[in-house]
Amino acid sequence: MDEIWKLAEDNISEYNLDLKNNGIPIRNREEHYLISFIPPLLVWDEKATKKNFYCVNNVHLYLHIPFCEIICSFCHLNKIKLGSDHSIVSLYVDSIIRELKYYFERFPQRVTIKSIQFGGGTPSILSARELDKILSAIHKYFIIDNDCELKFEFLADTNPNKYADIVNILGDFGKLKGVVDLQTKSSEILKKIGRKKQTYNEYLKTIDFLKENGVGEIITSLIIGLPKDSRGSLESTLRALASHESVSTITGYPLMFKSSDPLFRLLKNNKEYFLSEYERDVMEEFMTLFMKEHNFIESPINFFSRTNIDNIQQNGKYNSDALIGVGAGAFGYIPSKKSQSQYINTPNISHYINSTKMNQLPIWKSTDLSLSEFKRKKLILKLGTLESFEISQELQDKTILNELNYLSKLDYILLYKGRCRLLPKGRRRYTEVGTFLMDSLSINKILSYSEHQKMIRSCDFDLFPSYDTNQLKNILQTKAYL
Ligand code: SF4
């Protein structure tokens, strides 16, 4: 394994990721910043859309279950800790069913669903009856594709038998995938992030139980650079996961968080628990090399699967299929007349329940992307597939081509005979490359909003990425010179 570590170090040195002042955002250890290249809805003021949607072919469904048994310190997802009173979950499930019905009414005909994902929060908190109600509503309001993939997240538990009834109901789906996250094998790190009862032992018990009960594939995520993480703990986690045949897909992302997340306080007080940016890069590169060595295929980015696995939901995301997001804080994007409507639901669970009771779509913010924003979003996502693709007619735009040429000169992407693909250096800075490729008007909107930082701080819900305004200004200057 030493050779792989050595190769990872050599690669990172060769990529020269520290190159400054070239307009590509620079990562910074202090913030572990969380950025996004999808134009954030925070900068649009439009109210909930009331329009009907256009009929689409490739539609995926995401259901957000925002209740958790534990709260992990790295997590910036929309969730609350569920106490002993489960009654809020039943009310929430009724709201989900109402929201599904609204979408049924807004499409001109029943839509066929290619994949369904229950995420959260912790979907395995649902009772079998609640899950059954949601699945029955999906069957009632949509057509389920014959090859529909169903992804369902389970929390690792010392007594996984408690999931027997849920698994029984889910078992009706042919392509059932259980998502059980581990994050790391190290008990010490798990304790530091609030997952002391979700140890590797509990993880193993849970995936063994799921496998024995007919869950065909297991997807597991891990995070690189958690407090007290090290090369040793990453290697040991990867070895354990790769050798477990039940685990079909492993995803691994470097730790990123916002100043509002609990981990930020730990970073301020115990910097020594956190790795340098260089070390996190080497570890991420090691993961890529290690997975390849163990015959896993990476596609899309940071998503490693055994050879025969088809990831319908994940690939749909990168192919810009439509996504109906349902639940508090869920995000969705659906074709509109000219490009694509994006929306996010209200994250507050009481607001969410109340608006569905009042027969309103619970959308908090929504916008139609401009044509330019939409084609750039598609371009960035295509790069994330890691495959070579033809630069289509709609991308033959002088500004975009100039920017692609610039990225090619810096070795982030390869441009060759009208085709394009992300290079290994670009893979290590994919989100940053995507941010660089964002539409200038979108960046300007974010910047003008950031002038009112106080408004952002007083915002009830911190669901949005934070941007470094100096870096955004730097991007605009660089683009202006191209
Ligand atoms: S990581 Fe999962 S279990 Fe932990 S707080 Fe976030 S949603 Fe809940």
Side-chain angles (χ1 to χ4, degrees):
M1 245 347 93
D2 285 353
E3 317 87 75
I4 300 189
W5 281 114
K6 173 80 176 58
L7 186 56
E9 284 178 351
D10 290 349
N11 287 353
I12 292 301
S13 305
E14 198 185 311
Y15 301 157
N16 195 10
L17 295 164
D18 283 338
L19 203 63
K20 302 229 179 338
N21 300 323
N22 62 9
I24 310 300
I26 299 158
R27 287 195 183 176
N28 124 18
R29 180 180 185 223
E30 287 298 298
E31 299 287 339
H32 282 70
Y33 66 101
L34 181 78
I35 58 171
S36 169
F37 47 77
I38 296 178
L41 289 157
L42 184 63
V43 299
W44 279 271
D45 292 326
E46 288 177 46
K47 296 287 174 219
T49 173
K50 299 257 188 306
K51 65 191 166 199
N52 288 326
F53 292 114
Y54 285 78
C55 211
V56 277
N57 293 322
N58 296 328
V59 183
H60 303 259
L61 189 58
Y62 172 77
L63 300 110
H64 191 76
I65 311 296
F67 307 103
C68 289
E69 288 172 38
I70 52 165
I71 295 293
C72 314
S73 60
F74 62 87
C75 178
H76 42 77
L77 302 170
N78 189 41
K79 79 283 172 188
I80 57 164
K81 186 163 183 185
L82 188 67
S84 51
D85 182 9
H86 194 93
S87 59
I88 179 103
V89 184
S90 308
L91 291 175
Y92 185 81
V93 166
D94 290 342
S95 295
I96 286 219
I97 292 168
R98 281 192 287 268
E99 197 187 350
L100 289 167
K101 182 165 175 260
Y102 298 149
Y103 281 105
F104 163 70
E105 289 165 350
R106 274 170 176 79
F107 281 105
Q109 61 197 69
R110 267 171 96 202
V111 160
T112 302
I113 299 292
K114 291 188 74 176
S115 79
I116 302 168
Q117 181 183 8
F118 282 82
T122 307
S124 55
I125 231 163
L126 292 172
S127 69
R129 191 166 165 272
E130 287 156 350
L131 175 63
D132 197 32
K133 275 172 88 174
I134 297 175
L135 289 175
S136 303
I138 296 173
H139 276 289
K140 183 171 172 191
Y141 298 127
F142 299 92
I143 298 166
I144 311 290
D145 191 77
N146 284 340
D147 285 329
C148 182
E149 171 186 284
L150 176 64
K151 270 162 83 172
F152 194 91
E153 282 184 45
F154 295 86
L155 184 68
D157 198 280
T158 193
N159 173 29
N161 284 326
K162 70 182 196 181
Y163 298 139
D165 290 344
I166 294 182
V167 173
N168 206 7
I169 290 169
L170 293 169
D172 290 345
F173 276 81
K175 282 198 176 162
L176 174 59
K177 299 187 177 187
V179 180
V180 188
D181 290 336
L182 177 63
Q183 315 307 3
T184 172
K185 190 167 165 273
S186 154
S187 313
E188 188 193 7
I189 301 173
L190 288 170
K191 209 168 160 187
K192 279 254 163 313
I193 58 173
R195 292 174 78 96
K196 67 174 182 228
K197 290 191 181 156
Q198 281 66 43
T199 65
Y200 182 56
N201 253 344
E202 273 67 40
Y203 168 81
L204 283 182
K205 277 188 195 170
T206 306
I207 64 169
D208 287 347
F209 169 83
L210 293 176
K211 203 70 190 179
E212 279 159 22
N213 286 276
V215 179
E217 292 171 24
I218 304 289
I219 301 174
T220 292
S221 76
L222 57 96
I223 299 177
I224 299 168
L226 286 166
K228 293 239 161 192
D229 202 1
S230 66
R231 292 187 184 194
S233 57
L234 174 67
E235 188 177 323
S236 140
T237 306
L238 289 175
R239 278 183 181 286
L241 292 177
S243 65
H244 207 298
E245 285 299 316
S246 307
V247 183
S248 59
T249 300
I250 302 169
T251 70
Y253 296 92
L255 176 67
M256 288 190 186
F257 51 80
K258 296 182 286 186
S259 50
S260 54
D261 295 333
L263 264 198
F264 189 73
R265 286 194 292 281
L266 189 64
L267 175 71
K268 286 283 154 215
N269 299 327
N270 296 84
K271 279 193 183 147
E272 70 281 6
Y273 290 173
F274 292 82
L275 300 171
S276 67
E277 196 51 55
Y278 168 77
E279 197 58 16
R280 288 199 297 155
D281 279 332
V282 171
M283 285 164 67
E284 201 185 348
E285 184 73 10
F286 174 85
M287 178 170 182
T288 304
L289 298 169
F290 178 97
M291 298 316 287
K292 197 171 167 204
E293 174 96 359
H294 287 77
N295 299 322
F296 280 73
I297 292 172
E298 185 183 17
S299 178
I301 194 159
N302 287 25
F303 210 87
F304 301 90
S305 299
R306 295 189 196 271
T307 40
N308 52 348
I309 307 295
D310 185 11
N311 293 303
I312 297 173
Q313 181 263 343
Q314 196 67 10
N315 291 335
K317 200 191 291 178
Y318 283 84
N319 285 326
S320 300
D321 289 356
L323 176 77
I324 300 176
V326 174
F331 182 64
Y333 32 88
I334 297 176
S336 60
K337 198 166 184 182
K338 286 193 181 148
S339 68
Q340 191 186 59
S341 293
Q342 286 190 171
Y343 67 88
I344 189 165
N345 279 349
T346 175
N348 181 294
I349 294 165
S350 304
H351 291 178
Y352 173 76
I353 292 175
N354 288 339
S355 42
T356 62
K357 276 187 182 164
M358 288 188 295
N359 283 339
Q360 288 166 0
L361 260 183
I363 291 176
W364 178 35
K365 298 247 178 198
S366 71
T367 190
D368 284 344
L369 295 184
S370 69
L371 262 184
S372 171
E373 284 165 338
F374 186 40
K375 66 185 175 187
R376 281 169 176 275
K377 180 180 168 187
K378 285 202 279 192
L379 167 68
I380 297 164
L381 291 170
K382 266 262 175 266
L383 285 170
T385 64
L386 301 175
E387 281 159 23
S388 159
F389 60 93
E390 196 173 331
I391 302 177
S392 61
Q393 201 61 35
E394 66 169 337
L395 292 174
Q396 301 286 345
D397 163 311
K398 193 167 164 264
T399 322
I400 294 180
L401 288 177
N402 278 345
E403 290 171 27
L404 289 176
N405 269 315
Y406 180 67
L407 289 171
S408 156
K409 274 188 208 144
L410 293 173
D411 295 328
Y412 287 102
I413 62 168
L414 179 71
L415 275 183
Y416 183 67
K417 291 190 176 176
R419 297 184 70 81
C420 183
R421 81 175 160 83
L422 203 63
L423 285 172
K425 175 178 176 177
R427 179 196 291 168
R428 287 286 77 85
R429 287 294 180 271
Y430 171 59
T431 318
E432 289 80 353
V433 166
T435 307
F436 177 79
L437 283 172
M438 263 206 309
D439 186 77
S440 293
L441 272 176
S442 307
I443 297 179
N444 268 316
K445 280 185 199 168
I446 299 167
L447 276 172
S448 62
Y449 200 89
S450 300
E451 302 294 317
H452 304 93
Q453 282 280 335
K454 280 188 201 128
M455 284 171 69
I456 298 176
R457 297 253 154 75
S458 67
C459 179
D460 284 354
F461 311 107
D462 189 12
L463 289 182
F464 294 96
S466 43
Y467 291 90
D468 180 325
T469 50
N470 286 331
Q471 299 213 8
L472 292 182
K473 284 177 189 162
N474 198 3
I475 293 175
L476 288 177
Q477 273 169 9
T478 310
K479 283 174 182 256
Y481 281 115
L482 295 179

